[in-house]
Amino acid sequence: MTKASYQWKKSELNQNIDPQIIKKYKISPLLEKTLISKGYTSEEQIESLLSNEVLFHDPMLLSDMEKATSRIHKAIENDERILVYGDYDADGVTSTTILVKTLESMGATVGWYIPNRFTEGYGPSEAAFRNAHDEGVSLIITVDNGIQGHHEIDIANELGIDVIVTDHHEFGETKPNAYAIVHPMHPDFNYPFKYLAGVGVSYKLSKALKADIPDAFLGLVAIGTIADLVSLTDENRYMVKQGLRILNEQPLPGIKSLLSVADFTDEVSEQTVGFIIGPRLNAVGRLDDARLAGELLMSDDDDEAMFLAEEVDQFNTERKAIVENITNEAMELAEIEMQQNAQFLILAKEDWNEGVLGIVASRIVEKYHLPTIVLNVDIEQNHAKGSARSIEQVSMFEFLTNHSDLIRKFGGHHMAAGMTLDIDAIEPLKKALNADMHNITEGKKLLPQLIVDAEIETSDITVDNIFDLERLRPFGTNLLAPLFSISKVPVKSVKGIGQGNKHLKLTLTDKNIAALHWNAGHLIHDISNDTTINVAGSLNVNEWNGHQSPQIILKDLALSNDHAIFDYRSKNKHDLLKIDQENALFVINPSSEKINEQYIHYGDTYPNEVETCVLRDLPQDLESFKQTLSNIKAEKYYLVFKGQTNSYFEGIPSDEKFKQAYKALYMNQSTNIQNDGMKLCEALKIKPDQLKFILNCFYELNFITMNRGIIEINKDAGKNDIENAPLYQARKQQIEIEKTLLYNDSQSLIKWMHSLLSDVEEEV
């Protein structure tokens, strides 16, 4: 049954935008609904969102900025050795690149270091700090990490190394004992915007050190900010907008080469960063040492950059293959867990690459809509290490905190976490987390939430309105691309597209609006022409051969009714085989024999609910048909109606023909039908079948007698209406059945069926 895969959650804001503001900013109805749903209703808010004015807070407002810049200038003046200590993801390598290139341009003696995910893990490394001391480093600047490095920073202090922490992650209960902490959420300072990415903090520090840093650095800010999924509002929005412009006009050699090896030639957008640039930069650190990604971004030589980009792209190709293999293995384990009614999936196996387990966990959650932990089992270390992903209704951090006694180390937030635990703790943790889930759900499945900006009408879906939404770009965290829902949309056509009909394409309403639902080709058997559905998705403009048309990219859909009706009256045997025969209930004419318990006659009752009901035969009358529908509860009804006759086309002779026939018989007194039948047909201008029908009706009403082909008028017969003949009534009833069920147009028939199933019968 085509039910919603998500719980659609619509905006509850009931504010309005002043008509003068709408007029001033030329806001379309679709954009107006979107702004309201996202809470942008005042002129100031709308101005900040739609304008291109500079929104860049003074870097000196950041915590300890003056102290940090003074120490760095001193280090440069004294020719001290400086180490920039970064992180292995896209935010980390862009942060490292900006600060290193800035310090180099200032004449600093600077090196840089990115820890290895597998051998050192996230954040400061004591071994790396000690090695830096041995190499004469006296100042370490962390970027995109460090706020949790209390022990390592204490070691640096003991070694005589000053540490400046630049970070954006959550503070712990205490602050590290660093020389300076440059952080937008520092509790002792009031920076105007709290949600910079690590690269944003690095860029701010670089601007504070040197006002004229290259514009190209904003391209790196855009990459790190988008890839790290921080809030895309306030100055982040301004820097990303400017950065995307830079990435299109004058990208650094490394980015230009990376796009080239990816065969990307279109305009760079936030989606380009999210799906092409970011994953490639992240892939290196997921599989090996992330230094290669840093070298690519720092390269000034086109040939060198192309060589490095090809290596990075190769890592991404390898990463995809590894993710695919692990995902397939994890899916097999998940299926076993699902057979045991698991509601919290913990999937563990040896030799899984820890760097990609977060991606795998996300794919498992996407399929099963259950909180999931994916772990690599290391027998030698006697531990399992991996990543967790959750659903909106479950706080992963809270769940893990409740069972921290079973976990060596973990960190994360509501939707994601990373952890290490003993191998022996896997099963107890699995039982505990499943028990927690059962307490919440009482065994029922929790649907993931889908945030819908607004309910719209099909009249809102125009090319101009959709282009107006582009004014909101770039989209990202806290400013997601708008999703809209539309209720009770009639489907005009449905088909599968792509290899193996993997995807679903619908044409909606009389406006012929195209709707695409990726990886939903299996729904082709659950939606028929003239089905009415509810849809949720995003809008875009499809351009083909210079023609522009609106298009919906579906995120979810559901039938508007509790049941689906499929018109299979003109289908061939091959199409009928697509119906789930084993789980179907077949309704047949009382004259047909029941093959097994899956067959019932019209008028029978059936106590159980079924998924599929096949109305195989024509009924003998519409009342038994209606009675059957009231007695059966099914999700899908297939209209086949075998056993069709020609009564509808043959019709019933007119009253005048009956009178003429009776008069002709009366005049002859005695008629040999075998000899005179055709002459009578010619005289009456009717077909033999019609004459036969007339004569049988006369016989039933005792108007005539028949004896060995001789027909005589019964002069003793009383008066009677021809319509009282049983054969006449049967023909009339059969015509009504055929007209209603066989020869009615699909849309009218399905609408009538829905009214019957809803106990509000309409005229057919």
Side-chain angles (χ1 to χ4, degrees), residues 432-491:
L433 293 175
N434 268 281
D436 289 348
M437 280 295 293
H438 277 281
N439 289 336
I440 291 176
T441 66
E442 298 180 349
K444 298 178 181 178
K445 187 176 181 180
L446 292 176
L447 288 179
Q449 293 181 344
L450 185 67
I451 306 301
V452 175
D453 285 88
E455 173 89 18
I456 63 173
E457 304 294 332
T458 53
S459 58
D460 292 320
I461 305 174
T462 66
V463 170
D464 288 342
N465 281 351
I466 296 172
F467 276 134
D468 200 35
L469 293 176
E470 294 293 301
R471 297 164 66 187
L472 296 176
R473 302 190 84 108
F475 298 121
T477 305
N478 295 138
L479 191 67
L480 298 175
L483 284 176
F484 303 103
S485 63
I486 315 171
S487 297
K488 297 182 178 179
V489 188
V491 176

Side-chain angles (χ1 to χ4, degrees), residues 468-588:
D468 200 35
L469 293 176
E470 294 293 301
R471 297 164 66 187
L472 296 176
R473 302 190 84 108
F475 298 121
T477 305
N478 295 138
L479 191 67
L480 298 175
L483 284 176
F484 303 103
S485 63
I486 315 171
S487 297
K488 297 182 178 179
V489 188
V491 176
K492 291 303 175 186
S493 69
V494 54
K495 65 178 181 178
I497 60 172
Q499 185 175 7
N501 290 330
K502 184 179 181 181
H503 312 298
L504 184 72
K505 182 175 183 180
L506 306 174
T507 303
L508 306 178
T509 81
D510 292 332
K511 295 176 65 177
N512 293 326
I513 298 172
L516 300 177
H517 200 351
W518 306 123
N519 300 312
H522 59 283
L523 296 179
I524 192 172
H525 302 304
D526 291 338
I527 301 172
S528 66
N529 295 357
D530 302 308
T531 299
T532 302
I533 62 176
N534 302 328
V535 300
S538 58
L539 305 177
N540 68 13
V541 174
N542 181 43
E543 298 193 27
W544 179 256
N545 287 338
H547 176 69
Q548 296 178 330
S549 60
Q551 183 173 258
I552 307 174
I553 305 300
L554 297 181
K555 182 70 175 177
D556 199 11
L557 64 81
L559 293 175
S560 299
N561 299 291
D562 294 330
H563 38 256
I565 300 172
F566 301 91
D567 186 355
Y568 269 47
R569 291 176 296 176
S570 60
K571 301 287 186 180
N572 57 37
K573 290 183 179 180
H574 177 74
D575 291 318
L576 294 176
L577 291 175
K578 296 175 182 176
I579 299 174
D580 184 1
Q581 306 280 326
E582 292 185 4
N583 300 309
L585 176 69
F586 293 86
V587 185
I588 58 178

Side-chain angles (χ1 to χ4, degrees), residues 404-415:
S404 57
D405 57 311
L406 295 173
I407 308 171
R408 284 192 198 176
K409 182 174 68 172
F410 77 94
H413 51 81
H414 184 94
M415 294 297 291

Side-chain angles (χ1 to χ4, degrees), residues 4 27 185 278 281 305 353 423 478 483 505 577 618 678:
I27 297 171
M185 290 188 286
L281 293 177
N353 187 300
I423 296 174
N478 295 138
L483 284 176
K505 182 175 183 180
L577 291 175
L618 275 175
M678 288 307 297

Side-chain angles (χ1 to χ4, degrees), residues 599-736:
Y599 289 76
I600 66 170
H601 288 142
Y602 282 105
D604 290 351
T605 59
Y606 192 78
N608 303 322
E609 290 191 11
V610 293
E611 180 179 338
T612 302
C613 174
V614 180
L615 301 172
R616 194 195 74 174
D617 298 344
L618 275 175
Q620 290 179 332
D621 58 82
L622 288 179
E623 286 307 312
S624 66
F625 178 78
K626 294 176 184 178
Q627 182 184 351
T628 298
L629 288 186
S630 66
N631 290 334
I632 296 175
K633 299 300 179 185
E635 294 181 351
K636 292 183 282 190
Y637 294 85
Y638 289 87
L639 312 181
V640 179
F641 298 142
K642 286 170 54 180
Q644 56 187 329
T645 65
N646 295 319
S647 296
Y648 177 74
F649 294 109
E650 290 176 357
I652 297 178
S654 66
D655 288 350
E656 185 62 28
K657 292 297 181 186
F658 277 101
K659 292 177 181 178
Q660 291 175 0
Y662 187 83
K663 184 177 181 180
L665 294 173
Y666 191 88
M667 294 290 292
N668 291 336
Q669 292 295 317
S670 178
T671 303
N672 187 323
I673 194 67
Q674 217 168 9
N675 297 332
D676 303 326
M678 288 307 297
K679 293 179 183 178
L680 189 56
C681 286
E682 291 172 2
L684 296 173
K685 298 180 180 178
I686 59 176
K687 295 179 180 179
D689 284 344
Q690 288 179 301
L691 177 61
K692 182 179 179 181
F693 177 77
I694 290 173
L695 294 176
N696 283 329
C697 287
F698 286 164
Y699 183 77
E700 287 181 338
L701 295 175
N702 203 28
F703 290 170
I704 62 173
T705 61
M706 293 186 187
N707 185 21
R708 297 182 180 181
I710 304 299
I711 298 174
E712 295 181 349
I713 293 293
N714 183 5
K715 295 180 180 179
D716 296 327
K719 289 186 177 181
N720 206 339
D721 194 321
I722 194 66
E723 291 190 11
N724 291 329
L727 186 61
Y728 189 102
Q729 287 297 318
R731 172 69 65 88
K732 185 177 178 181
Q733 184 171 265
Q734 185 65 25
I735 288 173
E736 184 184 11

Side-chain angles (χ1 to χ4, degrees), residues 79-85 109-114 120 126-140 159-161 291:
D79 199 26
E80 297 180 51
R81 295 180 66 85
I82 303 172
L83 178 69
V84 176
Y85 188 97
T109 303
V110 58
W112 55 282
Y113 185 85
I114 295 177
E120 297 172 278
E126 179 180 341
F129 280 16
R130 289 187 180 279
N131 188 59
H133 171 263
D134 293 342
E135 293 182 357
V137 171
S138 57
L139 176 62
I140 294 176
L159 295 172
I161 301 175
R291 187 175 182 88

